[in-house]
């Protein structure tokens, strides 16, 4: 709820930074949970992950809208939605199999690092797109 209110009041104006911050927060939260496996740390990490989800979803959606040409937007967003929907049961299936072989803290650490690196990769996308991370692209 705090993340949604932060976005609603437009505190972060740059959507690239919003997406990067969101994914890095999600990754950091996973790393915290995997590193400490403590009740109070987990509560704080879940709060951080929740904020990150809000920031990342808004930032990434805006990023899609600025990068993808308008005539292809429906097809691309449809494909993204299908892939995200299909990934949930597949993640549950493979996650339940993997957890029998790899300890939970290691899985959290590995995926925390992967999510953090994916967030930082947006910097490369922004630079390749000839934009500045400090500037927001206004479609039009």
């Amino acid at each position: 709820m705090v993340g949604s209110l932060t976005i609603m009041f437009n505190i972060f104006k740059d959507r690239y930074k919003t997406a990067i911050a969101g994914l890095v927060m999600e990754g950091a939260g996973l790393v915290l949970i995997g590193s400490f496996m403590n009740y109070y740390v987990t509560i704080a990490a879940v709060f951080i992950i929740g904020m990150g989800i809000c920031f990342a979803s808004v930032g990434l959606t805006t990023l899609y809208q600025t990068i993808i040409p308008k005539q292809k937007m429906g097809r691309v967003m449809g494909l993204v939605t299908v892939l995200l929907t299909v990934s949930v049961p597949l993640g549950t299936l493979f996650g339940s199999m993997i957890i029998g072989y790899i300890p939970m803290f290691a899985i959290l650490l590995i995926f925390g690092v992967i999510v953090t690196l994916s967030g930082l990769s947006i910097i490369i996308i922004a630079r390749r797109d000839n934009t500045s991370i400090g500037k927001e692209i206004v479609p039009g």
Side-chain angles (χ1 to χ4, degrees):
M1 196 160 138
V2 175
S4 297
L5 290 173
T6 304
I7 291 170
M8 185 177 84
F9 290 118
N10 208 17
I11 292 174
F12 296 109
K13 296 185 186 333
D14 187 342
R15 297 304 179 212
Y16 281 107
K17 286 183 181 177
T18 305
I20 293 166
L23 289 171
V24 169
M25 288 171 73
E26 288 179 44
L30 290 172
V31 169
L32 278 173
I33 295 171
S35 297
F36 294 102
M37 298 294 244
N38 175 304
Y39 176 75
Y40 296 107
V41 173
T42 300
I43 296 296
V46 168
F47 177 78
I48 292 169
I49 291 170
M51 293 270 294
I53 289 170
C54 289
F55 294 159
S57 65
V58 169
L60 289 173
T61 301
T62 305
L63 189 62
Y64 291 151
Q65 292 172 347
T66 57
I67 292 176
I68 300 167
K70 288 186 180 188
Q71 63 271 19
K72 295 181 182 178
M73 183 70 67
R75 286 177 269 173
V76 172
M77 293 305 285
L79 178 64
V80 168
T81 303
V82 166
L83 291 175
L84 290 175
T85 304
V86 168
S87 70
V88 173
L90 290 176
T92 304
L93 172 69
F94 292 119
S96 63
M97 291 188 318
I98 290 171
I99 203 165
Y101 301 104
I102 302 173
M104 183 56 130
F105 77 90
I107 294 171
L108 290 168
L109 288 173
I110 291 166
F111 282 101
V113 170
I114 290 171
V115 171
T116 301
L117 292 175
S118 69
L120 295 175
S121 71
I122 294 174
I123 296 170
I124 297 168
I125 293 170
R127 293 224 170 106
R128 186 184 62 189
D129 195 32
N130 290 331
T131 61
S132 170
I133 293 294
K135 295 180 185 176
E136 182 174 348
I137 300 173
V138 179

